[in-house]
Amino acid sequence: MNKRIETFIPLALDAIESLEISKNGSVPKEYNGYIASFGASVRQAGLLATILFYDNANSNAQEDRTKVIRALEKITGEKLDKNTKNSPALRAKVEDAAIALKLALRTYKLVKE
């Protein structure tokens, strides 16, 4: 496993708790799908397009997808918004953070709400 991913996992666990993605020790299963598809979206559409899609608060998503972006910001320490530059270094950092978030999510029970 990438060393950066290992260092990001505790930050991901903290982000899940502080952003209230976790409720009573469980996470709505929709977040599992959001995070799982995030990496694929970055590779297919690019970092900026994916950030804009996930940061859309007006979508009809069952859960708040913007929390995924806020969690990735907490993990990476980078602001992710419409002004994000798609550098290879930032893209790799965000992808590693997304992997860490996915791994951290596995420590919670996934529930259908």
Side-chain angles (χ1 to χ4, degrees):
M1 182 183 306
N2 181 323
K3 199 72 162 158
R4 181 165 47 189
I5 294 170
E6 285 184 25
T7 60
F8 280 167
I9 291 174
L11 299 171
L13 289 166
D14 180 57
I16 290 168
E17 292 295 327
S18 66
L19 293 170
E20 297 179 353
I21 294 171
S22 168
K23 300 168 188 164
N24 300 321
S26 60
V27 173
K29 73 175 192 165
E30 287 78 17
Y31 283 107
N32 190 45
Y34 298 159
I35 294 165
S37 63
F38 185 88
S41 180
V42 169
R43 293 201 178 249
Q44 290 181 343
L47 182 59
L48 181 57
T50 301
I51 289 168
L52 294 175
F53 176 75
Y54 275 71
D55 213 16
N56 181 1
N58 295 323
S59 71
N60 291 327
Q62 287 183 308
E63 294 293 333
D64 186 3
R65 279 192 313 232
T66 63
K67 288 184 179 183
V68 173
I69 298 298
R70 301 294 82 80
L72 293 172
E73 287 178 335
K74 286 183 77 67
I75 296 165
T76 62
E78 303 280 349
K79 181 72 176 151
L80 302 173
D81 61 11
K82 65 182 178 184
N83 300 316
T84 299
K85 302 293 184 227
N86 194 7
S87 73
L90 179 59
R91 181 177 169 163
K93 189 176 186 181
V94 171
E95 285 177 350
D96 286 349
I99 293 168
L101 191 57
K102 176 75 171 160
L103 293 171
L105 201 65
R106 291 181 180 171
T107 64
Y108 294 89
K109 179 181 178 184
L110 298 175
V111 294
K112 184 173 178 127
E113 290 194 353

